[in-house]
Every structure is written in C-alpha cells, then in structure tokens.
Amino acid sequence: MSARYVRSERNGVTVSVVEMAGAKRERSRMELHEYAGFDATELAELVRRGEVTAAELARLARQAHDQVKPAINAVVEFYEDAESVPGSDTGFFGGVPFLRKDLGPSEAGRLQEMGSRLFQGFRPTVDSYFTQRARAGGLRIVGRTTVPEMGMGGVPGLSESVACGITRNPWNLDRTTGGSSSGSAAAVAAGIVPIAHANDGGGSIRIPSSFCGLVGMKPSRGRVSAGPNKQDGSEGRVHDFVVCRSVRDMAAALDIFQGASPGDPFIIAPPQRAYLEELRHPTGRLRIGVASPFREEVHALVQPGVRVAVEKTAELLESMGHSIDKFALPYDPADLKMVEAGLNYISFASLDAEARALGRTVDEQTVEPIILELYRISKERPLADAALVKEGLRKIRAEVGSATKDFDILLTPTMPFTALPHGTWTEIPSAEPVTAQGFLDAWAALDQYLSVFNFTGQPAVSLPLFQGSDGLPIGIQIVGRFGDEATLVRVARDLEEAMPWAMRRPPVFAGSAK
C-alpha cells in the first residue's frame, strides 16, 4: 500500500493532501513526523478526504505530547478523553487538535487553574463564546497549556510558575518561551498541535510567537468576543486568539472566531469579506511607518540582529512597491508605565472575592511572592487611581492615533532580543527575589512596541521572518489600522511568500530524529 502527498486547492488556499495509490485500498497510517509537519489547514483537508480521522489526529497529538513533554513541559493537562472530545465535522478545521491556554476562555467542567495554587481544582460551569466557536469551527480541544501565574510575566518573557514548573523553548531548552502564552507557543513550535489558543493583554501572544518562531496575531479590540465572563478584558486591552505556524491558518482562525456576542462592551464593524478570501486579493500600495529610532530606554537592549531584521523587512516591503517612512511612537513612557501598573493593581483587587469563592485566602501558600506583593499594594491604592489610569489610557490612544493615522501599517521589532535565559525575571522564590516594582519596571522598559497597541486596540501580528546568529527566532511586528486585520493578512501573506519559514524546525520537534 502506498501513498503520496500532493497539492490541492480549497477556497483558494493551496493545501497538501494524501493521494492514495488505489482508490479502494485501505488508507495508510499517518506517521508522527508527517502529522507534526502539517499545518491545521492541511490536517483538516485530510480529515475531509477521509485519509485520517479526528480520533487519529488526537492520538497523534497525544503521542507528540508524550514525546516532547519531558523536554519542554508545555501542557499542564492532556485530556484522558482527547480522542472523543466534541467538535464540528463540517467546520473549516474539522478534526484538528487544539490546546487551550489555561487562562481566559473556559470549558464547562474542565479545570482552569491559571498557573496558580490559589485556583487549584477550579472548574468553570460555562463554555465561553471562544470555546463554542472553536468547536463550531471543527477544532477539538485536547488539553490545556502552562502559564505563568495568572498570566503575569508577559513582556519580561517569563515561562515558569510554582504550579506548572518551567516551560522550555523548543529552540533552546535553556531559554524562555516568553509569556504568558508560554505552553501554547511551545506546544505549537514543537509540533504537539498546529494551532493553539493564546491571549494578549500586553504582548502575551506576540512575545512567545517571536521567541518560538510562530505566527501570532493580536486582533483588534472587539474582533473576538471574550464573553460571557470578563467581557471587558481589563478596559479592552486583553484579546483572545491563537498562535499557529502559517498565515492561512491565521486567516481561517479569524473567520472562525471573529464576531460579536451578546453583552460585548466593544462592537466592531464586521470584515468586508472572509479573511481566507483576502489571501486571493492583491495588497495594493501602502504607506508604511518604520519604528526608528528605538526609544532611549530600550536602545541598549536591542540586539544588532534585531535592528538588521527590521531594516531588511523594510527594504523588502519597499521592493514590493510600498512607500517607507520613519516614525517614533509619541507617547510618554511614564504614561505607559503608569497605565500598565495601574491596570495590574486594579485586576489584583478582585483576588479576595475569588479566593473566598474557593474557600481560600490570598497568602504565601496560595500565590507567588510578586503576585502577593501586587495584591497587597492594590489594597492600599486609592480609588482615585482608577480615574488616573483611564485618563492615561485616553491620552495614549489619542497621541498614538494622531501620530500614526496617515500610515496603512506600522513596522516594529516584536521583541528587542531573542529568547532570554530562564530566570532573567522570575516569580519563583529565589536567593535574590525580584520585587513587584522591579518586575513592573522591567515590563515597561521592554514593552515599548507591544502593550501600546493593546491600549489603542489596533491589530498586530508577529511574523517569524528571521533567525539570529544564535539560531533563535526573531519576530517582526506588523501593526494595522483599528479594525483592519484584512491588510495585515495580505501583507503577512506577501512576507511569508517572500521569506518562507514553514520548513524551519526547532531541535525539539515531535517525530524528529534529533
């Protein structure tokens, strides 16, 4: 019995499919290295053609997980019933295994512990709208991924917690995956699943995508519903979506997850056409703003290779016919720091009520030192701080919006360097613990081109266009106008075609002989 992989077209998207030598012969069994090499679009096409079943893909995902888990520790729970979890057979991603970040959207009856001992054993009673849309799109949720405690540590690149341990980067096990979508990024990069849930309140999709060599989009505020619980997402700065390995998977996921739900506080205009259809349309000539110079407080941290990567991307886009101009984000870094810190303090003020509902208290036995310090500070902050934070948000949105309104897209580094060594910043108790203020200072210093777009609500995507001299991925960020994911999809497609990354594999990869 023989089989070969050929190319096919579906909705204008080229996919690899298995063509059998003999239509009536028994189909071949997919091997692990084959499974891990496909993106979600390709796997779904194989399911549609009857070359593999959803249960078989879940079995392969489990096999991939079991193989790489000792090295990377990306999945906190792979469901025992993964081979039979629900999902639509007719959705675009019908049968594709999917992992849920253990923070944000919920599954009724499944654990959601948020990387914290405080929430150990917590089981939500409702499916979030995100979960419902994942299943309607055919995705099969087979487990949940590791996170730093309560999602802290996004920008400093934290991928460890007392509850989950250290999540390691498949490209270099001594390096962080970035946070807070740590496990999701590591799992996709290592081939456990081709696509996984992630969310971003200050860079937590884009940072791990940059460090792990993935496609990671933060959609516009309101594009993807976070309901029915916590629909405001910290003044609209937290956005749920996915990390994946291809632009077409990103586009298809936008089609699946976009759209308002009852009770959403932010309503955005629907797209003019399906995002997958955008892949068939020309980009047109754009005016592109390139971030330069880097802000003084991060200038010394920017690796030369990252600067070169941004410059080369600008040159490539100019060669495609776009016009290039320099720009510098005009906000006051002190405002950004104040708003970020204030939003964190406000979020931790609710811990008492959540702890009481679980019959627990917030103390040294239930949360890590930085979380405990932030919680205690939050209880001492005056109510008037909330008004200052809201005014700071308004000011940043107005300044950035005014300064960038004439650009179609913006080009920036995602992170100023490749993945950091573990322990650079840590929440775990150590001989020299980092204070909460030191942690927030580090966050603000490294967050110059990330969280500002959470505040403005603009869509942004990190693309794995380059690798550093150390072999680690370098992410390039493309930022669009508010509500204009379509242009980002087309530009990302152009860059993927010009600088393809699909064949890059980290040393730790499911089915690899390495």
Side-chain angles (χ1 to χ4, degrees):
M1 161 97 204
S2 63
R4 64 189 181 93
Y5 290 97
V6 297
R7 310 301 289 178
S8 177
E9 291 284 333
R10 171 172 159 72
N11 293 342
V13 180
T14 304
V15 298
S16 294
V17 298
V18 178
E19 183 180 84
M20 307 309 297
K24 294 185 179 180
R25 295 183 183 180
E26 182 182 358
R27 58 183 170 77
S28 63
R29 181 187 181 94
M30 181 181 286
E31 299 295 331
L32 181 58
H33 72 276
E34 294 171 331
Y35 161 80
F38 286 128
D39 70 359
T41 299
E42 291 168 317
L43 289 178
E45 182 66 18
L46 294 175
V47 173
R48 276 186 289 272
R49 288 169 57 94
E51 306 300 346
V52 67
T53 67
E56 289 171 318
L57 291 183
R59 175 187 58 78
L60 285 162
R62 186 187 300 279
Q63 184 180 347
H65 163 262
D66 292 347
Q67 183 184 95
V68 303
K69 177 179 174 60
I72 63 172
N73 182 38
V75 179
V76 68
E77 180 189 10
F78 200 100
Y79 296 155
E80 292 184 1
D81 60 345
E83 286 80 357
S84 60
V85 294
S88 168
D89 292 331
T90 58
F92 183 87
F93 286 130
V96 174
F98 185 69
L99 288 166
R100 170 178 58 86
K101 178 179 176 178
D102 199 22
L103 184 70
S106 60
E107 292 179 85
R110 298 285 193 183
L111 289 170
Q112 187 175 43
E113 297 173 313
M114 309 180 208
S116 176
R117 293 164 292 172
L118 180 64
F119 294 95
Q120 186 175 5
F122 172 61
R123 295 180 186 271
T125 58
V126 298
D127 284 334
S128 67
Y129 297 142
F130 187 95
T131 298
Q132 294 173 22
R133 291 185 179 182
R135 289 175 178 157
L139 295 167
R140 311 296 175 109
I141 305 175
V142 297
R144 54 195 177 101
T145 60
T146 58
V147 293
E149 186 168 43
M150 302 180 205
M152 287 299 293
V155 173
L158 188 68
S159 61
E160 58 191 57
S161 70
V162 169
C164 296
I166 296 174
T167 296
R168 300 183 182 277
N169 194 320
W171 289 92
N172 184 329
L173 298 179
D174 293 328
R175 302 300 180 97
T176 178
T177 65
S180 62
S181 303
S182 314
S184 292
V188 173
I192 298 175
V193 292
I195 185 170
H197 164 241
N199 46 32
D200 191 314
S204 291
I205 289 176
R206 292 160 289 164
I207 297 160
S209 293
S210 180
F211 285 174
C212 294
L214 302 176
V215 176
M217 173 181 273
K218 178 198 77 63
S220 297
R221 181 176 58 245
R223 180 65 68 202
V224 178
S225 175
N229 297 325
K230 298 184 177 179
Q231 281 173 300
D232 64 346
S234 186
E235 298 294 328
R237 71 166 173 161
V238 179
H239 308 145
D240 284 290
F241 196 47
V242 301
V243 289
C244 56
R245 296 199 295 260
S246 67
V247 172
R248 64 186 180 186
D249 280 0
M250 179 187 80
L254 276 170
D255 287 331
I256 286 171
F257 289 109
Q258 72 89 21
S261 296
D264 282 356
F266 307 106
I267 305 298
I268 190 171
Q272 292 184 346
R273 54 183 170 240
Y275 292 107
L276 268 177
E277 189 178 339
E278 294 292 348
L279 296 175
R280 300 200 299 268
H281 287 262
T283 301
R285 188 173 188 270
L286 305 177
R287 185 184 180 198
I288 300 173
V290 182
S292 181
F294 296 96
R295 286 193 174 278
E296 181 179 350
E297 57 267 46
V298 297
H299 183 84
L301 297 174
V302 179
Q303 290 175 345
V306 174
R307 294 184 198 175
V308 171
V310 174
E311 292 166 0
K312 287 185 175 179
T313 305
E315 292 170 1
L316 175 60
L317 289 167
E318 189 171 33
S319 74
M320 293 177 180
H322 305 301
S323 65
I324 304 295
D325 293 290
K326 303 288 187 180
F327 87 98
L329 288 173
Y331 63 84
D332 185 342
D335 288 339
L336 185 73
K337 183 176 177 180
M338 181 273 292
V339 170
E340 284 184 328
L343 288 173
N344 280 310
Y345 290 133
I346 290 170
S347 68
F348 284 116
S350 66
L351 273 187
D352 272 335
E354 293 174 298
R356 282 195 300 271
L358 294 167
R360 294 173 182 154
T361 58
V362 181
D363 57 29
E364 291 83 355
Q365 303 305 311
T366 56
V367 299
E368 295 168 22
I370 291 176
I371 300 293
L372 184 60
E373 187 177 349
L374 288 168
Y375 158 77
R376 288 172 173 167
I377 293 172
S378 73
K379 293 173 71 68
E380 299 170 356
R381 306 274 290 193
L383 185 61
D385 275 9
L388 293 176
V389 169
K390 288 180 180 291
E391 172 58 18
L393 274 171
R394 183 209 59 77
K395 187 169 180 284
I396 290 172
R397 288 168 178 162
E399 291 171 342
V400 174
S402 177
T404 63
K405 62 182 174 59
D406 294 328
F407 293 110
D408 296 297
I409 63 171
L410 308 176
L411 174 66
T412 82
T414 304
M415 288 296 285
F417 36 63
T418 54
L420 299 164
H422 294 293
T424 303
W425 287 278
T426 181
E427 290 180 275
I428 297 176
S430 63
E432 296 181 3
V434 178
T435 65
Q437 189 59 54
F439 191 82
L440 293 175
D441 287 346
W443 187 323
L446 303 179
D447 205 17
Q448 301 299 319
Y449 295 104
L450 294 171
S451 67
V452 61
F453 299 117
N454 292 80
F455 300 154
T456 65
Q458 293 169 256
V461 60
S462 179
L463 298 174
L465 298 181
F466 294 89
Q467 288 178 282
S469 58
D470 53 8
L472 296 176
I474 294 174
I476 298 297
Q477 180 177 237
I478 311 292
V479 183
R481 297 179 185 273
F482 181 80
D484 188 15
E485 286 86 350
T487 297
L488 290 190
V489 167
R490 294 194 299 269
V491 172
R493 171 208 59 197
D494 296 343
L495 291 171
E496 184 182 35
E497 290 176 353
M499 302 182 65
W501 56 77
M503 298 309 295
R504 295 180 196 159
R505 295 286 183 267
V508 177
F509 191 75
S512 173
K514 293 182 181 180

